[in-house]
Structure formats: C-alpha cells, structure tokens
Amino acid sequence: MSDHHRHRNSPDHGTADNTQHSDGHSQQRPRHHFQHVDPDHFDLAQAALDEMHEAGFKPEFGPAVAEQVAEIRDNLRKEFAKEKPGAGVPDLRKLAWSSIDNDTSRDLDQIEVAERVADGIRIHVAIGDVAAAVEKDSPIDQHAKAQTQTIYTAVKNFPMLPLELSTGMTSLNENGDRMAVMMSYTVGSNGEMSDEQISRAWVRNRAQLAYSRVGPFIDAHAAASTSAVGVTLQDVEALRSDSARASEDADGPAFTETTESRELAMAIADQILMQAQATQALHRARIQNGALEFHRGEVQPIVADGHVLSVHDVIQNQAMYLIEDLMVAANGVMARALRKGGRSGLQRVVRVPQRWDRIVALAAEHKWELPVTPDSVALNNFLAHMRETDADHYPDLAVAVIKLMGPGEYMVMTPDDDPTGHFGLAVRDYTHSTAPNRRFPDIVTQRVLHAMMDGAPPPYSDGDLAAIATHCNEADKALRKIDRAMQKRVAAVAMAHRIGEIFRGVITGSSDKGVYVRVIDPPFEGRVIQNFDGLDVGDRVSVKLLHTDPARAFIDFAKVSANQNGAKNPD
C-alpha cells in the first residue's frame, strides 16, 4: 500500500498464520541473561532481507531483467506514440478516473469511474494490463512466478516486478496514459449486479487519491448528499496522496484555477460520492449474503527520520471499504466471465470451515449460540456483538475465528467445476485479477482473459495452473511467517525506549510453551516471563516491559499489580 502489507486488510479473510504462539523463547530461559541490542542501530531492512533468504526467496533481480525492462519501455513508447488505440479499444482517457490507495503507494493497479444509468450506477474498474507488457516465461515473468507477490514488511518492500514497471510503466500513475483491462457492471439500489462486461480500454488516471483523505471526505459529504455541493477545488486537491504530490513537476498542483481544472475537480468529487453510494449498496447486499466483517486494526510503525518510534493500529475507513467492495465485485465479474467463456483459471477460495464445531464452541464460551451447520450470517452477527460489547478481547476472538476458518488458497477453476466459493466473502465465483503489479495469479488471470478474448489457445494447461496454485499457496504460508517475525522485530525496536513502563494487556496464550500477552495501547505482543503463574487466556492484566531484543524478536514482560508504581502508558 511506508506501504502496508496490503494482504492483511484485503477482503481475503482467513489468511492468518495458523501457527501457535512461539517466538523461540524457552520458559526456562534465565530471566537475567538479556542480550543487549542497540535498537537505534538495528538494521530492520537487513533483517527483512535475511528473513526472505532464509525462507528460500530470491528478491534480487537478475541482469536479464534490466534488458527486458528496456525492451518493454521501447514497446510501450511505440504503442502510446499512436494518436488512437488499436481497433476495438475505446479511448476513455477523458473520463474522471481516479485511484485511491495509501499515501505512499506508487504501484497503482486500479482506477475507477462511475456513471448513473437507468438501472442504478454503472461502475468501470480499469486494471493495468501487465500481461500485455510482460511476456510469459520471460526473465521478469520467471521472477514474478517464483516470488508470487510483492512483499511488504513495514520497513522494506520486495517488489514482484521491477520498480520501473510496477511503479512506472504498468502502474496507473496520475496523468499517465495506459492500456487497461476494464471490468464493468451496474449496481442496483438493492446491491444486485447486472450487465457485466470485460473489455480493453485506453485510460488515464486523473487524480491519485489517498485512503486517509478520501475516508473523512466521504464521512463529511455522503450522508448529506450524493453530489458534491459546496466542495471547493482546494477540497479536492487536498484528497491527493503524498506520493502524487511528491512526483508532480514544477507546474504545481493537479487542480488549478482554470475552468477545465475546476470542472475536473468537481467531477472527481462527484465520482467519489457516486462510487460510495454504489458500494454502500454492494456492501449491504454482501452482509445480507453472509460476508464476514472482522474490523481488525492493522499494526503499522510510526517512523520519523528513518527511526521507528512506536506502533499504532490503522483501522479501515470508508474509502478502504469502497475499494474493497469494488474489487470484490470486479473479481467476481472476471471469474464468471472466464467460466462462461469456457476457460480454466485460478480461483481464490476460503472453504467452508471444517472446524466449525470449534467456532460454535468458542461462541458458546461467550454465551452465544451458533447453528450446528456453517452459517456465515450467524457468525457475522456474533462477531458484531462481540465488537460492540467486549472491545478489549475482540481482537483475539477475531484472530481465533480466522485461524479456525483456515487460510485462503488458490485452486484450479475449470469451466465445468462447481466453484468452491469464498466463505469469508460469501461469494461463489471469485478470483484474483485486480492487482497484477503485485500478485502473480492476477497476471495469470489476465493472460487467460487475453487468450479468451482473442480466440487463442489457453496459455496454461490445467496442470500448469495446478502447479502455480500449489506454489502460490506454499509461498503464502512462508510469507505469513516472515510478516509475523518482522512485526515482532519492529515492535521490539519501537518499544525499546519504554523499558520499565506499565501497560494494560490481555493474555492471549497460556500453555507449557509460555504465557503471552497483547498490550492494548500501543498494540504489541510479548511473553510474560515473571509472575505468570495462574494466568489464563482472556485475563486482563497489567504488565511491566522488561526487555526487547529485535535480533531474536523477543519482547519480555512481568505481571504486576494494577496499582504498582511506575510509568504508565496513557489511556
């Protein structure tokens, strides 16, 4: 999305690491044998690279990649030197397209535009056409296939594609002309989708916007009106992301005091509110069908001058939900199009939980009754109740449910198969197609689509697709472990200057492997190595921070009485 790990807050529920609490500690480790590591000089970026290598990834690009990048640049220059796109490709560059992503994101996969039609709101989602630029089995493609995705570790990103592509030539950057794959669909007032179509299009991102800015804008305006009455040009300029501002040239802001610029700014504002109206209808329909809402914060570091100062929770806002709902719908459009076109592809699934009985038992512990057979609507009602009534314990409950659901995974989707479906999203047809700059399965999906649209043979056999799915699933598992280790290291660096402070927390694990606590504010976890006798999962406790070791990803606490003297974190 620094870029956060975009998969953690993506709509792909059920991807939590299913490993138990374990950080390499031994409960018998001598309490006083602490290894001192200077947090101000600990190299988190190198630690992330070491984790990658240890897991078998090779994030460095080979020399042949640079040669291919130059070749792609020449090809794209020739393509866009033309005054008009190829036959059958509409020129939609004048529409009020915009992207919404993190403030620092530069690998932009999708842009959106909407229009009012007789049956509701017509949505167009344009995705950068990476498959058209990157030849199958070429050096860049081989690297992407091996790594499977861009890896975000809070302190260092490892791009799946060379930055010249993922943040440049194939990124839908502001004011850049790009060829795109476009999924179009109409959203009715009841959230039902109709008139689904997929085509190629020539597009231009007219405004690169940020979640952090668009979310409050929607909150301030969507309730009062579905048009941007009273919005000024400066209001819209303020919605642009930090990365867009950093990359703009000496000509100044994107929206200036010209008639054309004012009209575009007002069109962008109207677009945001129209898309919000459509996605609110989509979201209501998804929830009625049983889509799960976990509402879990994502822990991110607070960085200043290159130093990690602390960690904090980032909660999804209305702009994030807008993009999530648009992308879930677009991925469904793609999956159905491939199936109807008689083409095999990759589906992204979360199976009906085999451990539903454990979820039922977990709900019963909180005096809530779930049905004997899996029911996502009932589960979502339980989660919503717990969010409202027990905010302290809810994050651990959500993690437990996600683990019991099992991980998301890729599977082959043949035209004759009954789709496995995605339990967490409550959808039957689902693939990954909206992030080809940072996910290899999305490039595979684009290649399958291109062959279908051109009437060409499939680029992959069913056996090829099965092998890709298996490799991506194995990589997902390894990357979750890397993510967890780096979260611990970042927290260990961030909290090293708060040794001796007392924090409120909740016990999240208690076994012969150790006792673990999650501090509520700021959000970080560690092991209770003193006064842990009698502690059990769910207990609210006060703990004193004793020691952090980013090299080994250790954070150690002692349980203390709630009224013990000492520095306390602000509540």
Side-chain angles (χ1 to χ4, degrees), residues 198-336:
I198 298 181
S199 61
R200 296 184 177 100
W202 208 0
V203 299
R204 175 183 293 175
N205 186 356
R206 310 301 295 276
Q208 184 176 333
L209 311 179
Y211 289 130
S212 61
R213 303 160 190 265
V214 175
F217 179 85
I218 294 173
D219 291 337
H221 296 279
S225 173
T226 55
S227 64
V229 177
V231 176
T232 67
L233 183 147
Q234 290 74 22
D235 291 335
V236 180
E237 174 67 26
L239 302 179
R240 294 176 68 222
S241 69
D242 289 345
S243 58
R245 297 166 191 274
S247 64
E248 66 189 10
D249 58 31
D251 292 336
F255 302 110
T256 57
E257 291 293 347
T258 65
T259 300
E260 182 180 3
S261 188
R262 282 196 298 270
E263 289 176 351
L264 174 60
M266 294 307 101
I268 293 294
D270 282 335
Q271 276 294 315
I272 293 170
L273 299 182
M274 194 189 315
Q275 291 173 32
Q277 182 183 358
T279 54
Q280 286 162 7
L282 281 171
H283 194 77
R284 285 194 299 270
R286 286 181 55 211
I287 298 305
Q288 289 171 1
N289 290 332
L292 300 178
E293 293 184 295
F294 284 99
H295 289 282
R296 296 172 59 222
E298 179 184 343
V299 178
Q300 290 189 15
I302 299 173
V303 181
D305 297 326
H307 296 288
V308 178
L309 303 181
S310 187
V311 291
H312 68 141
D313 266 334
V314 176
I315 306 298
Q316 282 185 283
N317 65 22
Q318 289 302 315
M320 294 176 179
Y321 288 125
L322 183 154
I323 294 299
E324 174 179 316
D325 287 316
L326 290 182
M327 297 309 116
V328 169
N331 282 326
V333 170
M334 178 64 76
R336 287 186 287 275

Side-chain angles (χ1 to χ4, degrees), residues 47-61:
L49 180 59
D50 291 343
E51 289 280 355
M52 290 282 291
H53 287 157
E54 186 175 342
F57 292 100
K58 298 178 180 178
E60 300 86 359
F61 292 99

Side-chain angles (χ1 to χ4, degrees), residues 182-201:
M182 186 172 71
M183 284 86 92
S184 303
Y185 51 92
T186 299
V187 181
S189 58
N190 61 355
E192 293 294 320
M193 294 169 56
S194 61
D195 194 13
E196 299 177 358
Q197 296 178 346
I198 298 181
S199 61
R200 296 184 177 100

